[in-house]
């Protein structure tokens, strides 16, 4: 708890206060390198951990051990499926590269924006699939919500991955937090200029960081937290708002069949995301 509070107070909070993020632009490259390094490390270590059965003690309780090591390609639990869907939304919505990329594409044509969006999503799918499959095949039923914690503490390679990701999170959070604070002030109708605006910006940043630190201290189940965030904010950012924008701006420009397919697909997925949020919220409340 002390480490979380210390990092939030001494690193994340000061870096999130300025509105200019030019000094942190190189962190985006570090984030991509961290994802690549993690995928490579997980894929390379998967055979060794799988052969050792993830460090599972097969002699303590053979039946329970066999059940934990059983390979399951599908979980029939609807709540787990909804949580996985929510985490996927969060994964594709929260990226430190989003802000600088959006800024660079401000004057780009539609084709360039389409290509960047398509290629980036395809690359994300590849790397997330490698990490997801590698992590699950290494530990199977023993996989923790933060699967990096499954690796041994004396594993030097994964220790380096943890260190790099720690730096990425600490320096990458301000890249998303500072624009988010400005957006919140804009939605509230506050002025974006002057001393009062700077004070409001600092207040919003402080409230968000304190809230995040409290959640991190209170709840160690990272998948539950990400699932709730992904199904709420992720559904809005990735599905609901794009559906509304598409309906008002692009619906009439596309053939009717394609337009209806795109719009109703986004709308149904958004409804599924909100249903996932309600399901996870009820489970968390009663759990």
């Amino acid at each position: 708890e002390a480490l979380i509070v210390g990092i939030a107070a001494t690193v994340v909070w000061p870096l999130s206060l300025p509105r200019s993020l030019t000094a942190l632009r190189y962190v985006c490259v570090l984030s991509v390198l961290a994802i690549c390094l993690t995928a490579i490390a997980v894929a390379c270590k998967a055979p060794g951990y799988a052969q050792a059965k993830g460090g599972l003690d097969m002699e303590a309780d053979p039946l329970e051990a066999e059940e934990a090591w059983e390979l399951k390609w599908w979980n029939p639990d609807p709540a787990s499926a909804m949580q996985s869907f929510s985490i996927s939304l969060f994964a594709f919505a929260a990226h430190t590269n989003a802000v600088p990329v959006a800024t660079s594409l401000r004057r780009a044509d539609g084709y360039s924006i389409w290509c960047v969006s398509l290629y980036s999503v395809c690359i994300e799918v590849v790397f997330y699939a490698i990490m997801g499959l590698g992590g699950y095949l290494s530990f199977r039923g023993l996989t923790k919500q933060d699967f990096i914690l499954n690796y041994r503490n004396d594993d030097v390679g994964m220790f380096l991955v943890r260190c790099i990701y720690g730096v990425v999170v600490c320096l990458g959070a301000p890249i998303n937090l500072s624009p988010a604070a400005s957006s919140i002030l804009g939605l509230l109708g506050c002025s974006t200029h002057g001393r009062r605006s700077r004070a409001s910006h600092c207040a919003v940043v402080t409230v968000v960081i304190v809230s995040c630190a409290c959640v991190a201290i209170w709840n160690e189940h990272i998948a539950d937290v990400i699932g709730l965030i992904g199904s709420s904010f992720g559904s809005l950012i990735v599905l609901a708002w794009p559906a509304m924008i598409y309906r008002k701006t692009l619906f009439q420009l596309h053939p009717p069949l394609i337009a209806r397919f795109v719009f109703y697909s986004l709308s149904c997925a958004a409804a599924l995301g909100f249903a996932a949020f309600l399901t996870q919220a009820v489970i968390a409340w009663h759990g």
Side-chain angles (χ1 to χ4, degrees), residues 35-260:
I35 293 176
C36 296
L37 177 61
T38 303
I40 294 172
V42 170
C44 292
K45 292 180 178 296
Y49 276 92
Q51 186 176 5
K53 294 192 174 181
L56 184 65
D57 187 1
M58 302 296 293
E59 298 180 357
D61 190 342
L63 293 178
E64 184 178 351
E66 287 295 335
E67 183 179 358
W69 193 247
E70 182 183 357
L71 187 62
K72 298 179 180 179
W73 292 106
W74 175 256
N75 190 340
D77 183 16
S80 298
M82 287 189 172
Q83 186 182 59
S84 300
F85 178 71
S86 303
I87 293 174
S88 300
L89 289 177
F90 179 87
F92 291 109
H95 273 278
T96 55
N97 294 3
V99 175
V101 170
T103 302
S104 63
L105 292 175
R106 183 176 299 174
R107 297 183 179 179
D109 58 277
Y111 179 76
S112 299
I113 295 175
W114 168 259
C115 290
V116 170
S117 301
L118 178 62
Y119 295 158
S120 62
V121 169
C122 291
I123 293 173
E124 290 171 13
V125 168
V126 171
F127 280 100
Y128 287 149
I130 293 174
M131 287 188 285
L133 288 174
Y136 176 68
L137 293 177
S138 298
F139 306 103
R140 302 193 184 183
L142 302 175
T143 306
K144 299 180 181 180
Q145 291 192 353
D146 183 1
F147 78 96
I148 298 295
L149 299 177
N150 279 103
Y151 293 93
R152 298 189 304 268
N153 292 330
D154 59 351
D155 192 324
V156 178
M158 297 311 297
F159 176 76
L160 292 176
V161 169
R162 293 175 186 173
C163 293
I164 294 175
Y165 254 112
V167 175
V168 170
V169 171
C170 292
L171 298 181
I175 295 180
N176 288 327
L177 182 54
S178 183
S182 300
S183 299
I184 292 174
L185 293 176
L187 291 174
L188 296 176
C190 300
S191 174
T192 57
H193 302 284
R195 182 177 301 177
R196 185 175 180 180
S197 173
R198 288 193 293 270
S200 301
H201 182 87
C202 294
V204 172
V205 168
T206 303
V207 170
V208 172
I209 291 178
V210 171
S211 302
C212 292
C214 291
V215 171
I217 294 172
W218 172 66
N219 191 347
E220 296 181 355
H221 301 290
I222 186 172
D224 296 340
V225 176
I226 292 178
L228 288 171
I229 296 175
S231 58
S232 55
F233 295 104
S235 296
L236 287 172
I237 296 172
V238 179
L239 300 171
W241 288 339
M244 296 170 60
I245 295 171
Y246 181 84
R247 184 67 179 85
K248 292 184 177 181
T249 60
L250 299 176
F251 190 86
Q252 303 297 333
L253 301 178
H254 292 164
L257 185 61
I258 296 178
R260 292 192 185 95

Side-chain angles (χ1 to χ4, degrees), residues 83 218-219 224-225 228 277-287:
Q83 186 182 59
W218 172 66
N219 191 347
D224 296 340
V225 176
L228 288 171
F277 172 77
L278 294 176
T279 302
Q280 294 174 88
V282 171
I283 294 175
W285 179 264
H286 292 286

